[in-house]
């Protein structure tokens, strides 16, 4: 009998924790979620501008390609990121899900890119330069770069999914 009481206490504690999470995560006003999503988009734009290498960082043989890459990165930042934000904003307004949930997932996805890409920027370009200098050869990512990117992005996906599910789904009985 005492075991059943302990289990019931744990279930009640978990349910109250979930209610606190729901109240905390999505109690933020909708306008604030729009501001958070806007800040995440600006951070993503800064990442797209800062990510391509400076021409003096590239070997002499591939500087022209690097300058072309920088121009493409700026276009992607100035046109692509606001375009993506507009599409997500429209989806948030049209879809039946709560706007806060869609903007939360968007902010997490866009906000995780600087964390995933900027620390490994030099490693990524070392491999990119090798591929430009040897177009027919096989160039692969090193293990540290692969583990970092896969780990950070997988962690972000799992954590945001768990938070969204915990905050939106009602608990079922045991």
């Amino acid at each position: 009998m005492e075991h059943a009481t302990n289990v019931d206490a744990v279930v009640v504690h978990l349910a109250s924790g979930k209610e606190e999470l729901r109240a905390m995560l999505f109690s933020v006003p909708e306008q604030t979620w729009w501001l958070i999503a806007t800040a995440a988009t600006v951070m993503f734009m800064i990442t797209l501008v800062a990510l391509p290498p400076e021409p003096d960082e590239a070997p002499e043989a591939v500087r022209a390609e690097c300058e072309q890459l920088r121009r493409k990165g700026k276009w992607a930042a100035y046109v692509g990121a606001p375009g993506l934000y507009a599409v997500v904003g429209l989806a948030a307004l049209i879809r039946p899900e709560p706007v806060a949930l869609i903007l939360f997932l968007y902010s997490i996805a866009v906000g995780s890119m600087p964390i995933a890409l900027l620390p490994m920027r030099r490693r990524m370009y070392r491999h990119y330069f090798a591929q430009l200098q040897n177009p027919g050869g096989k160039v692969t990512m090193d293990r540290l770069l692969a583990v970092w990117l896969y780990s950070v992005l997988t962690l972000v996906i799992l954590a945001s999914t768990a938070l969204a599910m915990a905050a939106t789904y009602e608990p079922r009985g045991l």
Side-chain angles (χ1 to χ4, degrees):
M1 188 68 164
E2 182 180 324
H3 177 36
T5 306
N6 289 341
V7 170
D8 290 340
V10 168
V11 169
V12 168
H13 179 69
L14 288 175
S16 68
K18 189 176 277 191
E19 289 301 317
E20 289 173 14
L21 176 66
R22 179 178 300 137
M24 184 175 66
L25 186 59
F26 294 117
S27 68
V28 176
E30 185 177 312
Q31 185 178 19
T32 305
W33 279 112
W34 284 103
L35 291 173
I36 292 169
T38 302
T41 302
V42 168
M43 205 168 69
F44 182 63
M45 289 172 66
I46 292 169
T47 299
L48 289 179
V49 171
L51 194 61
E54 296 291 331
D56 60 338
E57 290 178 302
E60 192 69 39
V62 295
R63 285 195 181 171
E65 289 91 350
C66 284
E67 188 57 39
Q68 185 178 16
L69 182 67
R70 282 193 73 73
R71 277 187 254 122
K72 285 181 182 178
K74 285 182 182 179
W75 273 104
Y78 299 140
V79 175
L84 176 65
Y85 181 56
V87 168
V88 169
L90 286 173
L93 295 174
I94 293 171
R95 303 262 321 154
E97 289 87 10
V99 172
L101 175 64
I102 294 173
L103 294 177
F104 164 73
L105 292 174
Y106 169 78
S107 299
I108 292 292
V110 173
S112 67
M113 288 301 134
I115 296 167
L117 297 176
L118 287 178
M120 294 293 165
R121 178 181 174 273
R122 294 206 190 282
R123 283 182 175 270
M124 289 188 307
Y125 281 111
R126 192 175 325 132
H127 294 288
Y128 178 70
F129 296 149
Q131 187 176 14
L132 286 177
Q133 290 174 332
N134 188 10
K138 182 181 179 189
V139 178
T140 60
M141 279 196 299
D142 63 358
R143 288 203 191 277
L144 179 63
L145 178 59
V147 167
W148 173 260
L149 290 175
Y150 298 147
S151 298
V152 168
L153 296 177
T154 300
L155 181 67
V156 166
I157 289 168
L158 293 176
S160 63
T161 302
L163 282 171
M165 289 176 68
T168 57
Y169 292 116
E170 294 296 324
R172 294 183 185 185
L174 292 177

